[in-house]
Each structure stands twice: as structure tokens, then as C-alpha cells.
Amino acid sequence: MKIQIINGPNLNLLGVREKSIYGNTDFETYLDGLRKRYTDLVIDYYQSNVEGEIINKLHEVGFSYNGIVLNAGAYTHTSVAIADAIAAISTPVIEVHISNVYKREEFRHVSMLAANCKGVIAGFGMDSYRLAVESFLIK
Ligand code: DQA
């Protein structure tokens, strides 16, 4: 099974950025643990701070992979273009957030993407990614 994780803007700074919200671990370290836990899955990773690059990656993997785990960061709350890209592809997408966005500022309560996603996981720290990966294993 092939899973693509896509992280959007500022998520390259995990472990450095706002640690009280996003924790102390950088994504590469977390991903290493995830890959070791699911050795029979292919888990590819891509990060970009650029909206169009995230869309290009969705197009690239969105007809061949089994699942996409997408943390679009702040684009979650603004991007009609990413919402359209999710609607355009056939691979199911899980929207993921490290923080519980519903406990935070009101602008973070709105997702432009959720209605086009298979599901949404928020608020479990980095383990939000693990839960999203596991959701693809449910038969
Ligand atoms: C985030 C939540 C977003 O509101 C924020 O802009 C992020 C990270 C999260 O993982 O909690 O960059 O997607």
C-alpha cells in the first residue's frame, strides 16, 4: 500500500516553531518512527510552503496512491484551489492537524478542504498523522 504524506506551509519548522502548540519533534524524526512501525507500507513524504506545489503533488500521486494524508497548514482555511485539487483526484485524502484547530482562533475553525476529504483528524499532536495512516488500513 502506498501512502503520501503532504505537509504545507511552515510545517518544515516542526520542532522549532511554536513548540507549546506543535511539540518538540521535527517531522523527519517522527516519520522515521512511522516508517519503522509500518514496514509493509510505502510512506512517501513531501513538504512545500507553496500552494501550487502542493496542488502539483496532489495531481502527481492522486491517481495511483492508495491514500494521501494532507496537513495543508494555513492553506486549510483559505485555499479553494487545494479543495478543487482534492475533488479532482481519485485517491482519498485525510485532512490532518497536529493541534485541535477547534480550540484555537475562529479563523482556524473553517476548513475549505474538509468537505472534499474522506475524513479529518485534529488535535492528537504528531500522532494525528499515525491515526490518518491507520485509517487507510481499516477494511
Ligand atoms: C495546523 C493548524 C493550522 O491552523 C496552522 O495554520 C498550521 C498547522 C496544525 O497542524 O495544527 O500551520 O494545520
Side-chain angles (χ1 to χ4, degrees), residues 7-11 14 17-18 21-22 71-77 96-101 104-105 107-108 122-123 125 129:
N7 271 344
N10 303 305
L11 294 164
L14 287 173
R17 158 193 198 207
E18 299 178 277
I21 301 173
Y22 299 113
N71 185 346
Y75 285 140
T76 305
H77 316 300
V96 156
H97 301 286
I98 297 164
S99 65
N100 180 353
V101 284
R104 301 180 64 193
E105 303 96 322
F107 68 85
R108 295 185 205 275
Y129 293 92

Side-chain angles (χ1 to χ4, degrees), residues 32-49:
D32 207 39
L34 204 57
R35 284 178 172 147
K36 283 187 177 127
R37 193 172 171 139
Y38 298 106
T39 45
D40 45 354
L41 297 182
V42 174
I43 304 176
D44 288 334
Y45 176 56
Y46 179 75
Q47 190 277 331
S48 176
N49 295 319

Side-chain angles (χ1 to χ4, degrees), residues 24-77:
N24 298 311
T25 314
D26 64 90
F27 196 76
E28 284 68 21
T29 304
Y30 180 77
L31 183 62
D32 207 39
L34 204 57
R35 284 178 172 147
K36 283 187 177 127
R37 193 172 171 139
Y38 298 106
T39 45
D40 45 354
L41 297 182
V42 174
I43 304 176
D44 288 334
Y45 176 56
Y46 179 75
Q47 190 277 331
S48 176
N49 295 319
V50 179
E51 189 175 24
E53 289 181 356
I54 295 166
I55 293 165
N56 286 342
K57 181 52 77 173
L58 288 166
H59 292 176
E60 184 191 315
V61 300
F63 297 92
S64 54
Y65 279 55
N66 302 94
I68 297 171
V69 176
L70 172 63
N71 185 346
Y75 285 140
T76 305
H77 316 300

